[in-house]
Amino acid sequence: MKILIVGAGCCGASAARSLAEKGWDITLIDRRAHIGGNTYDQYNECGQLYHCYGPHVFFTNKEDVWSFLLPFGPWVPYRSMVGVELNGQIHPMPFQTSTLSALTGNTHLQTELSAEFVGRASVQVYDLLNSKNPAIRQAGIQLYEKDCVPYNKKQWNLSPDELLTEVLARAPVFIQPQEQFRQEKWQYMPLLGFTDLFLKMLNHSNIHLKLNTNASECFTVSETNTIFWKKDSYDCILYTGTLDELFSFRFGRLPYRSLQFKAEQVDGQNGLPYFAVYYPDERLPYTRRTDYSYLPGNGGCSHMIISEIPVEWRPGLEPFYVIRTAQSEACSEQYRKLASTIPHFYFSGRLAEFRYLNMDDAIQAGLRIAEQIDRAETERV
């Protein structure tokens, strides 16, 4: 059977490989000039590997994802260290009580948090703000005002209250000290980079790759939700792009956020203390800076640092982030329901589902939608 897959990022590429191994004939297209989506990396003139669209580190507790990716190595163990600058000082991430103590001057917060949140490893900023303990509540106010408000204003151009609560939940406060940024079982990096990994993943005789190709060059969806093929026809479609654009903004435009990247090469004395550092301070234009000297295999005396500056998305820019509010969630649900009514049309991934996905989530989504497609379409034959 023949399928058109739109998008050669984590979700689309993993689905393509999975279906290829089941005997499907896959045409995989991407509007960009490269594979791998936002994980795309390359080497600079100093021979250092860097990520073109912001740092990506692989971690997972999903055994099926790790088993799927393992053959596309080689892999090396890697545990990233991340920090955040507050009041001119860089603190380790994730947030922990030492950061709260530095903000408030209260050195007894760990004891007080442990007593109030018995059995919990971490809390959210709203837990702190709603505490009846004045000291804990004051710590929540400091964190909210010094990090949540300015960071979300820079990142999304919104206040925290305008976003879904899950957005803030992505930055918990750990009660006990945490030496590692992530706790997942498998934390590795592909030694030769993510681009090499995806090249190996897509190296299959059943996968036909077409870059610099928009979905609109292959098909359109009519107002009656009928697919019209422009060139070749296929038995079905897997779409991983933006649904509002696909349906000609029938229910309005969904909100996205884009980024500008500024690269600089500095000497070792001016490198960052961590692989990546977040900057909530609104006086600084960037939200995150990444020092790629920390990647496996990147040596030398110089450090390549890339700063990320959030900008308002407009047509022609890359939609790096979906902006999740109650209003955008309702609008995206309309598009998802509409897409679900089209026969032999499947959608998955970060943009199509309009949600945040870590790398392992996106790959697992690709593997699962491939299973769904194979099962559903073969039953119809």
Side-chain angles (χ1 to χ4, degrees):
M1 300 187 74
K2 295 173 60 178
I3 183 173
L4 174 69
I5 299 182
V6 180
C10 291
C11 181
S14 58
R17 179 67 186 219
S18 180
L19 288 170
E21 293 178 352
K22 298 177 188 298
W24 281 69
D25 185 354
I26 293 103
T27 296
L28 176 64
I29 67 171
D30 201 291
R31 56 182 170 75
R32 295 180 181 178
H34 60 75
I35 60 175
N38 292 339
T39 70
Y40 177 66
D41 52 20
Q42 59 186 11
Y43 291 89
N44 65 14
E45 61 275 9
C46 299
Q48 297 172 322
L49 185 69
Y50 69 97
H51 302 160
C52 299
Y53 304 114
H56 286 77
V57 177
F58 179 77
F59 47 80
T60 189
N61 283 324
K62 301 175 174 64
E63 188 170 3
D64 59 335
V65 171
W66 179 235
S67 298
F68 170 74
L69 289 177
L70 192 56
F72 308 128
W75 296 85
V76 292
Y78 184 76
R79 295 182 179 271
S80 66
M81 302 293 286
V82 178
V84 58
E85 185 179 270
L86 299 171
N87 289 347
Q89 294 184 325
I90 296 180
H91 302 270
M93 290 281 282
F95 292 123
Q96 38 204 302
T97 51
S98 60
T99 306
L100 299 182
S101 294
L103 292 176
T104 61
N106 185 342
T107 59
H108 305 291
L109 278 172
Q110 184 173 324
T111 301
E112 298 186 64
L113 287 167
S114 298
E116 178 155 342
F117 302 101
V118 178
R120 290 180 59 175
S122 64
V123 295
Q124 307 300 330
V125 65
Y126 285 124
D127 294 323
L128 304 178
L129 291 172
N130 293 326
S131 173
K132 294 181 180 179
N133 182 321
I136 294 177
R137 190 165 60 252
Q138 180 59 31
I141 291 172
Q142 287 293 312
L143 185 62
Y144 187 80
E145 293 180 348
K146 296 292 176 61
D147 179 80
C148 298
V149 172
Y151 181 83
N152 285 288
K153 180 64 176 177
K154 280 208 296 186
Q155 179 72 355
W156 311 112
N157 197 28
L158 294 171
S159 70
D161 293 340
E162 295 177 277
L163 297 160
L164 295 183
T165 54
E166 70 174 53
V167 178
L168 292 184
R170 291 172 64 87
V173 178
F174 281 85
I175 296 175
Q176 300 298 326
Q178 298 291 317
E179 294 184 0
Q180 299 175 358
F181 179 56
R182 304 294 310 192
Q183 306 300 315
E184 282 78 4
K185 180 178 181 179
W186 292 287
Q187 298 187 47
Y188 288 82
M189 290 290 277
L191 181 61
L192 303 178
F194 288 110
T195 299
D196 177 81
L197 180 149
F198 282 102
L199 283 170
K200 293 172 180 173
M201 185 185 298
L202 299 177
N203 183 21
H204 194 286
S205 58
N206 288 349
I207 299 176
H208 315 289
L209 180 64
K210 295 182 179 181
L211 300 176
N212 298 305
T213 303
N214 288 308
S216 58
E217 298 176 49
C218 301
F219 72 96
T220 58
V221 180
S222 71
E223 291 185 359
T224 58
N225 300 335
T226 302
I227 293 176
F228 288 99
W229 299 106
K230 292 190 174 181
K231 296 178 181 178
D232 300 325
S233 62
Y234 300 85
D235 295 300
C236 59
I237 298 171
L238 170 58
Y239 184 82
T240 69
T242 55
L243 289 180
D244 58 341
E245 181 181 9
L246 179 68
F247 292 112
S248 301
F249 312 104
R250 195 175 304 182
F251 306 119
R253 288 184 180 271
L254 289 169
Y256 307 97
R257 198 75 166 149
S258 193
L259 292 170
Q260 292 178 347
F261 300 94
K262 180 182 178 182
E264 56 185 322
Q265 205 77 24
V266 302
D267 59 34
Q269 293 181 338
N270 293 310
L272 299 178
Y274 298 107
F275 173 56
V277 177
Y278 291 83
Y279 297 87
D281 192 335
E282 288 187 273
R283 293 171 296 182
L284 301 172
Y286 41 79
T287 50
R288 180 169 60 183
R289 301 175 76 215
T290 305
D291 187 337
Y292 286 98
S293 67
Y294 288 94
L295 283 186
N298 277 358
C301 58
S302 67
H303 293 233
M304 184 180 191
I305 297 178
I306 298 182
S307 302
E308 300 166 45
I309 304 170
V311 295
E312 183 177 355
W313 179 86
R314 62 180 186 275
L317 295 181
E318 193 64 37
F320 286 107
Y321 298 104
V322 301
I323 301 179
R324 300 202 65 191
T325 65
Q327 183 178 0
S328 68
E329 183 63 19
C331 183
S332 65
E333 179 62 18
Q334 288 182 288
Y335 283 115
R336 290 193 293 269
K337 287 182 178 179
L338 178 60
S340 299
T341 66
I342 302 177
H344 311 295
F345 181 88
Y346 303 86
F347 63 94
S348 187
R350 174 182 60 90
L351 291 176
E353 297 180 50
F354 202 76
R355 63 191 181 105
Y356 306 128
L357 293 177
N358 288 328
M359 196 182 312
D360 64 331
D361 296 324
I363 291 169
Q364 187 175 68
L367 298 177
R368 289 181 174 178
I369 198 67
E371 291 289 339
Q372 179 185 338
I373 291 169
D374 184 60
R375 183 172 56 252
E377 294 297 322
T378 54
E379 287 176 356
R380 294 190 179 107
V381 176

